[in-house]
Structure formats: C-alpha cells, structure tokens
C-alpha cells in the first residue's frame, strides 16, 4: 500500500481576530496564498507539480466566499491548471483536508497535494455565514429544546467531568506559559512564515494571542462568558465557570501541509518528516458538541493497534479548557504529553486553519523530542471530531 508522507508544514503567526488585530488588514485569500507560496519556495517545487489544493474554511461568506481555496491558488501565482476546493468540517476543516489529501495519496489519486486552512475572524466573524438562516423543521423536531453555542457545551462538559474553576484557570495559564516558553526557545521558528500587513513596514512574526504573563490568579477575576438568564433557567445545575480566559481567542491565521507519496518524495530528493499512520472521524452528541475527541481517539487507537501509552505527544485542540481536560480524564492521558508547547487558548484558534496548525506543531515537537508517534484530535461544531496519528520518520 502507498504511504502518504508529510514533507513540510507552515503557518502564519496568529493575529487577534478582531478589528485592529495584527493580521486584520490582510485579506484571507492573501493569508492563504502566503502559506501556499511558502511551501513551494521552501521545497523547490513548481506549482504545476501540485495535483490538488484542499483548503479548510468555516465561515464561507464575504471575503471567504466563492471557494477560497481556488482564489488562494490563483492569488499565490500558481499555474491556472492547479485545482482547489474548500472544505467545511467546522473547527476540524483543515484536519479533514489533510485526511482527504493523505487518503487520496494512499488511494493513488494524488502524487503531491497541499492541504491547509484559513480563517480571518476579524473580517468574517464566526457565525456570520449563518445569518439569515433558520433551523430546519426536521432538526427542530429532533431537538425541540434547541441546541446551544459551544461555550454552553463547554460548560456542560466542565459540569459533567467535575472540572473546577481553579482547574480550568490553571490549565489555561499553563497553556500560555508553555506557548511563551516554546517561542522563547525558537520551537516555532521552523514553521512560522512572517506576514507583512498592508501599511506596515514590520512583518508580523509572532503569535499575537500568546500572553506570557498570564496566571491562574489573574484569570480567576474574569466573569463567566456564556451565562444568560435564559440559559441559567434551562440548565439550573450549571455554576458557569467558563470565561474568556479559559476559551480560545478569536484568531486570524492560515496554515498548510505538503503531502506526497513516499515514492514521489524519494524521486524529488525530498526527505519526509513523518507519515500518516491512522485516521478516524466520528459524530457525537450535538448538545455536548465538544466531546467528540474522546470516541474519535478510542476509535483510532483500536484501528491503529496502539495504546495511549505508545503515543509520545497529543495535540488536543483547546477550544475551551474543559475539552482537553475531559479528554485526558477519559483516556488516562499523561498531562505532560498534552499540548506540550501550549494550545489554542494561547496560540489561537483560527477555526479553518487550526487543523494543519496543530499538525505542524505535532511534527515539530516529535522532531525536537525524538518521539515516534503523535496524536492530533479536535472537537467540531455539530458534535463531530477527527483524529490523526502520525509517525515521525
């Protein structure tokens, strides 16, 4: 069977996803084009060699409408013969893009493919693609009390797994500490491509979302972010402990991974950094919504023949602190291996781009630590999750 290998992974820095954020002046098409161009330049490839580009993006409206993957390919100066498509599996969109790309290589449909993602949450606010829409009668009939936003789901998870406010704040502060330490030691230098914003003479080269001085004591002073009187009446047992500090910030970013067959990499003289070992994708309870990484991990471990102890690192997306904490409790995971260079609470969660951002972090960490196997998993809107196991080469 053909092997799908990872040759390179790049990303932009994370900008605050609000007007005035470091990357808010950059059109998302250009953000995505930058990582595409970067992959070609770093690996000495011509665009004609790329069989397809698969781009994740969640809010496909406004600046991100009309197949942003194809627009990015053209904006990057790729040959017009290179096709592209845009994928929406909510927060896991670019992880799913990487799955489709690798599976296409394994099946023989591709020799070289780029998977990536982009989201400009400053220019296209999260949820804007839903504006004017209504809940389908069939869905409303199935869930007559209605579903909830992800913040409420994070609260339900914190309550079910008995995660205290102190645990959530401590985990969140540690995410910032680990991310700041990783930046200090140059851990992200090999993958981050500086971005020159319009009207600026200095390129954005660091994650704007990381706050090195964050402490659990400081986070303890924040108010709950998702409580309303209506929701409090619906869920009287919740004590509302999720804050902005234990949530991933709105983020602008793009990321991309260069995937090819092992044979093609050898032919081109490119050294693979890792190979795709196993995949899974699951659906889960859409009310709790963010618990999908638990069954996704169980499924991928069963398929791979590996145990949680065989894994040297796990990147579990920190949409909210309660998500990886509940996952770790259920899987019996080692906290030291969980997001060792920080997670989305510090590094940002540009939803369409987060999947390949996590993948790049995982590859780089395995290389730096000498680890062999790494797991990546992330919760997704609507109650889904992807999981990926890679093996460092």
């Amino acid at each position: 069977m053909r092997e799908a290998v990872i040759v390179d992974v790049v990303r932009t820095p994370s900008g605050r996803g609000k007007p005035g954020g470091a990357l808010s002046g950059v059109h998302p098409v250009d953000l995505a084009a930058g990582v595409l161009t970067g992959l070609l330049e770093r690996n000495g490839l011509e665009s004609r060699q790329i069989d397809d580009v698969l781009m994740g993006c969640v809010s496909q409206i406004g600046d991100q409408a009309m197949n942003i993957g194809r627009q990015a390919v053209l904006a990057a100066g790729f040959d017009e013969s290179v096709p592209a498509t845009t994928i929406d599996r909510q927060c896991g969109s670019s992880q799913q893009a990487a799955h489709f790309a690798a599976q296409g290589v394994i099946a023989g449909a591709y020799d070289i493919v780029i998977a990536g993602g982009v989201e400009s949450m400053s220019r296209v606010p999260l949820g804007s693609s839903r504006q004017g829409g209504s809940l389908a009668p069939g869905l409303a009939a199935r869930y007559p009390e209605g579903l909830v936003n992800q913040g409420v789901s994070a609260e339900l998870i914190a309550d079910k797994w008995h995660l205290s406010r102190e645990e959530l704040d401590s985990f969140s502060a540690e995410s910032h500490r680990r991310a700041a330490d990783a930046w200090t030691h140059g851990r992200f230098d090999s993958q981050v491509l500086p971005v020159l914003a319009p009207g600026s003479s200095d390129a954005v080269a660091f994650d704007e979302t990381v706050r090195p001085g964050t402490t659990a004591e400081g986070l303890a002073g924040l108010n709950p972010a998702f409580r309303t009187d209506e929701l409090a009446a619906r869920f009287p047992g919740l004590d509302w402990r999720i804050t902005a500090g234990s949530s991933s910030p709105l983020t602008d970013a793009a990321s991309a991974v260069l995937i090819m067959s092992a044979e093609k990499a050898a032919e081109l003289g490119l050294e693979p950094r890792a190979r795709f070992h196993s995949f899974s994708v699951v659906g889960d309870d859409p009310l709790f919504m963010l618990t999908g990484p638990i069954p996704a991990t169980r499924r991928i471990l069963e398929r791979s023949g590996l145990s949680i102890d065989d894994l040297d690192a796990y990147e579990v997306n920190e949409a909210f602190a309660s998500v990886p904490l509940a996952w770790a409790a259920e899987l019996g995971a080692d906290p030291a291996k969980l997001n060792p260079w920080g997670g989305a609470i510090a590094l940002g969660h540009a939803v369409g781009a987060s999947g390949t951002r996590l993948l790049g972090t995982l590859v780089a960490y395995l290389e730096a630590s000498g680890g062999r196997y790494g797991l990546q998993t992330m919760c997704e809107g609507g109650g889904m999750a992807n999981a990926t196991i890679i093996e460092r080469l």
Side-chain angles (χ1 to χ4, degrees), residues 40-354:
L40 292 191
E41 292 177 347
R42 284 162 53 117
N43 295 281
L45 296 176
E46 299 291 335
S47 65
R48 284 177 177 265
Q49 295 174 276
I50 308 301
D51 293 315
D52 204 354
V53 173
L54 312 180
M55 186 69 62
C57 185
V58 175
S59 297
Q60 296 181 35
I61 194 171
D63 286 351
Q64 296 177 166
M66 300 296 292
N67 189 5
I68 192 172
R70 174 62 172 170
Q71 292 187 57
V73 161
L74 298 176
F78 278 32
D79 192 273
E80 293 175 348
S81 64
V82 180
T85 194
T86 305
I87 295 164
D88 175 9
R89 201 187 284 278
Q90 296 294 281
C91 298
S93 294
S94 57
Q95 184 174 0
Q96 184 62 66
H99 278 206
F100 284 153
Q103 290 159 357
V105 168
I106 292 167
Y110 299 134
D111 290 317
I112 307 175
V113 59
I114 294 174
V118 63
E119 206 81 33
S120 177
M121 299 171 81
S122 62
R123 300 170 71 104
V124 187
L126 188 65
S128 57
S129 56
R130 174 91 183 154
Q131 290 177 4
S134 60
L135 197 64
L139 193 59
R142 182 168 184 176
Y143 302 100
E145 293 186 338
L147 298 174
V148 295
N149 65 56
Q150 292 192 4
V152 180
S153 295
E155 290 279 8
L156 293 171
I157 292 168
D159 181 69
K160 180 176 179 177
W161 273 270
H162 308 294
L163 300 169
S164 69
R165 173 68 186 268
E166 291 74 21
E167 287 177 284
L168 297 168
D169 289 343
S170 178
F171 180 88
S172 302
E174 177 65 5
S175 182
H176 283 280
R177 189 200 67 77
R178 291 184 181 191
D181 183 71
W183 267 112
T184 298
H185 290 90
R187 301 301 192 189
F188 299 117
D189 291 351
S190 65
Q191 58 187 283
V192 173
L193 304 179
V195 176
L196 187 62
S200 174
S201 58
D202 297 321
V204 180
F206 300 98
D207 292 323
E208 188 184 22
T209 50
V210 177
R211 301 191 304 275
T214 301
T215 64
E217 292 75 19
L219 295 178
L222 297 175
N223 292 322
F226 300 100
R227 184 196 180 280
T228 66
D229 290 343
E230 180 182 1
L231 288 168
R234 178 177 174 184
F235 302 105
L238 294 183
D239 60 6
W240 304 95
R241 61 196 88 168
I242 301 293
T243 71
S246 54
S247 309
S248 55
L250 301 174
T251 310
D252 298 340
S255 59
V257 54
L258 178 62
I259 299 169
M260 58 183 70
S261 67
E263 294 80 3
K264 180 58 70 171
E267 177 188 321
L268 296 174
L270 295 170
E271 187 168 349
R273 299 169 64 186
R275 75 178 183 96
F276 287 91
H277 185 282
S278 303
F279 312 90
S280 74
V281 60
V282 303
D284 203 26
D285 184 341
L287 181 65
F288 276 78
M289 197 186 313
L290 312 176
T291 50
I294 296 169
T297 299
R298 287 176 173 150
R299 178 174 292 184
I300 202 170
L301 290 176
E302 181 181 348
R303 287 180 172 177
S304 67
L306 299 172
S307 72
I308 194 74
D309 294 330
D310 292 323
L311 304 174
D312 298 293
Y314 356 96
E315 286 288 327
V316 182
N317 193 47
E318 296 173 1
F320 302 89
S322 57
V323 174
L325 285 171
W327 176 90
E330 284 293 309
L331 274 298
D334 182 350
K337 296 180 181 180
L338 175 58
N339 303 343
W341 288 350
I345 287 172
L347 297 171
H349 183 18
V351 287
S354 288

